[in-house]
Amino acid sequence: MPNRVTNVGYGDRTPFLSSTAAAQLRAEIDAQLDQQVLEWYANVPEAAHLEGKNVDSAYYRRNLIETAWRIRMLRVSEAKALVEIAKTSPEAAQVWANYEQEEMLHDELFIADLEKAGVSREQFLATEPYLSTKLLTGYFSYLLDHEGPLGVVAYSYLVEYVNVQLEPRKLEALKKSVGEANIGGQINHSHTDINDDHPGEVWAAVRHLLRSQDDIEAFKRYLREHQQILAQYFEELYLDTIAGAEKQPA
């Protein structure tokens, strides 16, 4: 009688891509993300706002609030993703678990910077997340229910790659506009991403999850879809803060 136990990662776990092919694909993916960054700056309102000299205080505070909420809400789906990943690839699950262990409590880093910006923990908790953040959380749930964990992992690769590329420049600007003593949480978050090589860590999980050419094409689509949802958030943030203030009567 055959063993009825399945979904425990005991199948063929040989990576679909060789080390050389995986490195070539990663270079291709990174080039796609570089192009997406250019499109981001060209099309998203105030995309480079935090890199400027005159930072709108409402925009800055609300972005910190939303970042903390996204970490809090998405870590639930990302923890659920670990279960699905473990069913097919224990190797990817080990990498993902370590990555989540490092990221799980980073909402507190942004909350600490919020307090320095005059927003108490109670005010943070009383602020409901934007619809765009709820939709991103819902998309994660959809992916896990109907497409699998690859799309959830793709989101982390996108944000980690982009953060390592852009965050140092943004932080240097914020040191001048907000003050280095006031952005310690954001600096610590960035140092973790860079020093622990979070893009490389997430990519290691991705490689184990790619099992076919269809998976590769899906991964590329996930990166574009996540950027569209993130753009909705920054449009919502802009309309709620900078654009809203401009419409106020003098």
Side-chain angles (χ1 to χ4, degrees), residues 73-227:
M73 295 169 69
L74 294 178
R75 67 187 175 201
V76 175
S77 297
E78 290 167 348
K80 292 178 181 177
L82 177 61
V83 175
E84 299 304 315
I85 294 169
K87 292 176 182 179
T88 60
S89 175
E91 292 83 4
Q94 182 183 44
V95 174
W96 187 248
N98 184 67
Y99 168 72
E100 283 299 309
Q101 186 274 331
E102 293 170 348
E103 287 281 342
M104 188 67 72
L105 300 180
H106 276 199
D107 56 313
E108 293 295 337
L109 298 177
F110 293 90
I111 292 171
D113 284 358
L114 268 173
E115 292 174 340
K116 294 175 183 176
V119 179
S120 68
R121 182 177 293 269
E122 291 71 26
Q123 289 173 303
F124 161 72
L125 292 172
T127 304
E128 188 166 330
Y130 282 146
L131 177 61
S132 52
T133 293
K134 297 177 183 178
L135 291 174
L136 178 61
T137 306
Y139 185 47
F140 273 36
S141 294
Y142 159 79
L143 289 171
L144 292 176
D145 285 342
H146 302 293
E147 297 190 23
L150 181 61
V152 174
V153 178
Y155 175 85
S156 286
Y157 189 73
L158 183 154
V159 297
E160 295 296 347
Y161 177 82
V162 172
N163 282 351
V164 167
Q165 298 296 314
L166 303 182
E167 199 73 2
R169 184 170 68 197
K170 186 188 83 174
L171 291 176
E172 284 302 313
L174 287 176
K175 286 177 184 178
K176 298 175 183 177
S177 61
V178 178
E180 184 171 358
N182 296 319
I183 61 170
Q186 294 163 85
I187 291 173
N188 288 336
H189 175 75
S190 180
H191 282 178
T192 300
D193 290 345
I194 295 172
N195 295 335
D196 291 349
D197 187 21
H198 277 182
E201 193 170 17
V202 177
W203 181 258
V206 170
R207 185 189 170 201
H208 287 292
L209 294 176
L210 296 175
R211 308 300 298 174
S212 67
Q213 187 62 40
D214 286 344
D215 285 345
I216 292 173
E217 296 307 314
F219 185 78
K220 294 176 181 178
R221 291 198 302 273
Y222 290 137
L223 297 176
R224 291 191 288 268
E225 289 167 357
H226 285 312
Q227 177 161 325

